[in-house]
Amino acid sequence: MSLLVVGLSHRSSPVSVLERAALSADAQVKLLQDTVAAEPAAEAAVLATCNRIELYADVDKFHAGVAELSTLLAQHSGVGLDELTPYLYVHYEDRAVHHLFAVACGLDSMVVGEGQILGQIKDSLARAQELHTAGRLLNDLFQQALRVGKRAHSETGIDRAGQSLVSFGLEQLAAGEAVQSWARGKKALVIGAGSMSSLAAATLARAGVAEVVVANRTVERAERLAQILAAAGNTGVVARAVAMHAVPAELTRADVAVSCTGATGLVLTAETIAAGVEGRTGAPAAEAVRTTPAGPHGGARDRAPAPRDAAGYAGPAGDEREENCPLDLSAVPGAAAFSVLGEAAVAGMAAAELEQHAVWADKGDVAVRAQPGPGTGTDPAGDADAIAALAATVAVAGRVPERRRPEPVAEAPRPAPALFLLDLAMPRDIDAAVHRLAGVRLVDIESLAEASADAPMAADVDQVRRIVSDEVAAFGAAQRAAHITPTVVALRTMAADVVAGEIARLDGRLPGLDERQRGEIRQAVHRVVDKLLHAPTVRVKQLAAEPGGTGYADALRTLFDLDPETVASVSRAEDSTDEKDRGPA
């Protein structure tokens, strides 16, 4: 069996896709159960956070495992497999171990070095153990990942490189001002009472807000969190709990609101936020027109509608269209009609990647010219020709040539925010249309991803990477050595049975021996057997710990004609013993 991980994260997927693929707690349970019921997988664990969804499994076939795990992720996330596949990544064996260890250390987090991921890994392991989907491999893997993450935080300064997502989000809301200065005296509303919401409430209390109001679907949980906050004598914050139906009224009092619930739909609509701002200021929250270009992944939430040209093209007109085009397609026949969105989607791709995305054009999922024709999304044959033309250009140039992107246009002046909103939920709790409201500043997962892309990395990150590499090598060696242990145990058991049989036969031939003589003979025979087996068993464990050393177990079984069922029974006995002692680290 071998370790396989299939997943998607903020690094591989647009936030819009990641948001739609988010798994509820019930969906995670069903995904685990269906994975271990599938033929290629013997164990399974799901790591689902606000910016990643990963399925880990112990599989006996790589290709079948990838196909099955990808299909199951698509089924349980509700995103079609064809749409999900371009954003999935796959890691196998040592690369899968390296990936999880890097994740545990915060190297793959949206905010590098954040420590919340350790709690999420621990929760994932506990869930798999509770459902009995984690066996020996995943128990060992996840517990070691927790130890590696703790080592990284204790031995390096990785904490200086990153913060929690909550702290990073509050820094973005403060927009350059010190969080303590920005938060002092403000009234905060926290929606949700889970781990992330609790952290947000505690962080706001420490930052100096005057009041924290906790709203939750289960009022008892909100009251418990409010009591914990009020009992923390070092903050002096006033804390109280309200039911969810009181949120609109509380928005008229709050200066800052943080939302992180497990809801599958919006918790705060743009209309609710606008009403809250109007209740605070007495004036309607007008929609602000912004002129900055869209963010990554084609998001156009803050951009005014682009004018259409004479051909009905919904994009920049005239020279502006030429400046915004990320590709130099003038020499590519048939590509002139590709939209800016389409060109951006293939910018920088190699030929093989470009061909894989041909289906994207066939579906017509791009902004196109109104009239039919090649490259418009309404003529699949023409689109295929345009893709082929691009691929031919790539074959010569190596990659699709990128052109310099224009500098962002200055944003129109906006009034000072009357309400600050932080949305840490995935899928989002707060309507993205709130970005267009004047008097409101919204920071959500998408804007956090954009901001974190330019965040500086501390020198300690390199040290953490070395720790991860060392720990991956050590874990692989330990797993390979453990793989041969049942064979060594079976060999020694067989040798002990042979010794016992020969001693019994000797007793029959020499009945006159006294007990002392029998004892001396028995010890002598055991010493001979132990000395004969010591060197080969120690050496085979050393060899098995090296990369590619798993074949030594097969060689040992063949040379000594060991019964496979005996070896398997030893392995089952070890697993049964380990299960009694296992628990999250």
Side-chain angles (χ1 to χ4, degrees):
M1 304 295 282
S2 300
L3 178 65
L4 174 67
V5 56
V6 177
L8 68 160
S9 73
H10 65 285
R11 296 187 184 277
S12 70
S13 165
V15 173
S16 58
V17 175
L18 194 61
E19 179 182 38
R20 290 169 51 213
L23 297 171
S24 66
D26 290 342
Q28 292 178 44
V29 170
K30 191 66 169 63
L31 174 58
L32 285 174
Q33 293 171 337
D34 288 353
T35 301
V36 294
E39 182 180 346
E43 306 178 30
V46 172
L47 179 57
T49 72
C50 59
N51 54 27
R52 78 178 61 253
I53 304 163
E54 296 176 346
L55 179 56
Y56 291 78
D58 186 10
V59 299
D60 58 0
K61 298 174 183 175
F62 172 73
H63 293 291
V66 171
E68 187 66 35
L69 266 58
S70 302
T71 301
L72 288 169
L73 272 176
Q75 288 176 350
H76 290 279
S77 68
V79 179
L81 182 59
D82 288 345
E83 183 179 359
L84 194 64
T85 296
Y87 306 113
L88 293 177
Y89 48 78
V90 175
H91 298 298
Y92 190 55
E93 295 187 328
D94 284 354
R95 289 302 307 169
V97 176
H98 188 284
H99 175 74
L100 181 59
F101 287 4
V103 168
C105 293
L107 293 181
D108 197 56
S109 296
M110 186 179 293
V111 182
V112 174
E114 60 91 11
Q116 294 174 39
I117 187 65
L118 286 174
Q120 294 161 334
I121 291 174
K122 187 175 182 179
D123 291 342
S124 297
L125 174 58
R127 184 186 305 110
Q129 288 175 334
E130 182 181 351
L131 295 172
H132 304 290
T133 63
R136 181 171 190 166
L137 175 61
L138 292 186
N139 270 291
D140 290 349
L141 174 70
F142 274 68
Q143 292 196 40
Q144 186 62 24
L146 291 170
R147 286 188 282 269
V148 172
K150 292 174 184 176
R151 179 188 169 192
H153 284 280
S154 64
E155 295 184 12
T156 75
I158 189 68
D159 292 325
R160 295 194 298 269
Q163 322 145 281
S164 72
L165 205 58
V166 171
S167 299
F168 189 59
L170 293 178
E171 283 190 0
Q172 298 305 304
L173 282 182
E177 185 179 357
V179 172
Q180 285 77 8
S181 301
W182 167 81
R184 188 174 297 117
K186 282 184 167 59
K187 296 178 181 178
L189 171 64
V190 176
I191 304 174
S195 58
M196 188 72 79
S197 298
S198 300
L199 178 61
T203 303
L204 285 165
R206 288 194 300 271
V209 296
E211 180 185 45
V212 175
V213 178
V214 182
N216 193 59
R217 184 171 54 86
T218 305
V219 180
E220 290 77 9
R221 293 191 64 185
E223 290 173 343
R224 186 160 57 249
L225 177 55
Q227 290 170 0
I228 293 172
L229 293 171
N234 59 336
T235 63
V237 69
V238 175
R240 57 188 176 88
V242 298
M244 286 295 289
H245 63 75
V247 166
E250 292 296 335
L251 282 172
T252 64
R253 302 178 63 255
D255 300 299
V256 56
V258 180
S259 187
C260 186
T261 73
T264 55
L266 292 176
V267 174
L268 297 176
T269 64
E271 291 76 12
T272 302
I273 298 298
V277 173
E278 185 174 355
R280 284 180 57 84
T281 63
E287 191 169 289
V289 178
R290 302 177 66 179
T291 57
T292 51
H297 317 307
R301 62 175 185 234
D302 297 332
R303 184 169 58 189
R308 292 180 179 270
D309 63 14
Y313 173 61
D319 293 338
E320 183 183 355
R321 184 194 313 163
E322 176 68 20
E323 290 180 0
N324 280 281
C325 177
L327 305 178
D328 183 6
L329 301 176
S330 58
V332 181
F338 267 69
S339 70
V340 170
L341 175 59
E343 292 152 2
V346 299
M349 284 186 182
E353 295 173 296
L354 189 62
E355 291 168 1
Q356 289 175 356
H357 283 68
V359 66
W360 163 79
D362 290 340
K363 289 183 177 180
D365 294 336
V366 292
V368 293
R369 294 180 184 271
Q371 79 276 17
T376 66
T378 60
D379 180 3
D383 288 333
D385 290 343
I387 290 274
L390 283 170
T393 300
V394 173
V396 177
R399 301 190 76 83
V400 176
E402 295 190 35
R403 295 186 63 186
R404 183 180 65 82
R405 295 178 183 275
E407 295 295 327
V409 180
E411 183 178 316
R414 293 167 64 98
L419 180 60
F420 297 85
L421 301 171
L422 178 58
D423 184 359
L424 298 174
M426 183 64 71
R428 74 182 76 221
D429 280 348
I430 302 176
D431 191 347
V434 170
H435 281 288
R436 297 197 297 267
L437 294 180
V440 178
R441 180 178 297 161
L442 169 61
V443 171
D444 53 20
I445 292 294
E446 187 169 8
S447 51
L448 283 175
E450 295 170 8
S452 66
D454 299 324
M457 303 259 297
D460 300 272
V461 169
D462 288 336
Q463 186 178 351
V464 174
R465 287 179 176 145
R466 288 193 292 271
I467 288 175
V468 168
S469 296
D470 292 344
E471 291 285 357
V472 170
F475 182 82
Q479 289 296 306
R480 288 187 290 270
H483 177 72
I484 205 169
T485 297
T487 302
V488 172
V489 171
L491 174 60
R492 289 192 170 275
T493 300
M494 183 191 74
D497 290 342
V498 170
V499 169
E502 290 301 317
I503 293 296
R505 193 162 66 89
L506 184 63
D507 287 344
R509 288 187 174 185
L510 302 173
L513 294 176
D514 58 31
E515 191 58 36
R516 185 185 64 80
Q517 292 170 327
R518 286 193 178 90
E520 288 291 342
I521 293 172
R522 189 179 298 110
Q523 288 183 13
V525 175
H526 276 294
R527 282 195 298 269
V528 170
V529 171
D530 286 342
K531 288 182 177 180
L532 287 174
L533 291 181
H534 176 73
T537 53
V538 169
R539 184 60 179 146
V540 79
K541 285 183 178 180
Q542 294 171 342
L543 292 170
E546 297 175 359
T550 53
Y552 287 100
D554 295 332
L556 205 61
R557 286 193 294 270
T558 301
L559 288 171
F560 287 92
D561 195 24
L562 297 176
D563 182 5
E565 180 54 35
T566 302
V567 176
S569 64
V570 173
S571 182
R572 287 194 296 269
E574 288 185 349
D575 288 344
S576 177
T577 301
D578 289 344
E579 284 294 330
K580 296 177 182 178
D581 301 326
R582 281 185 185 131

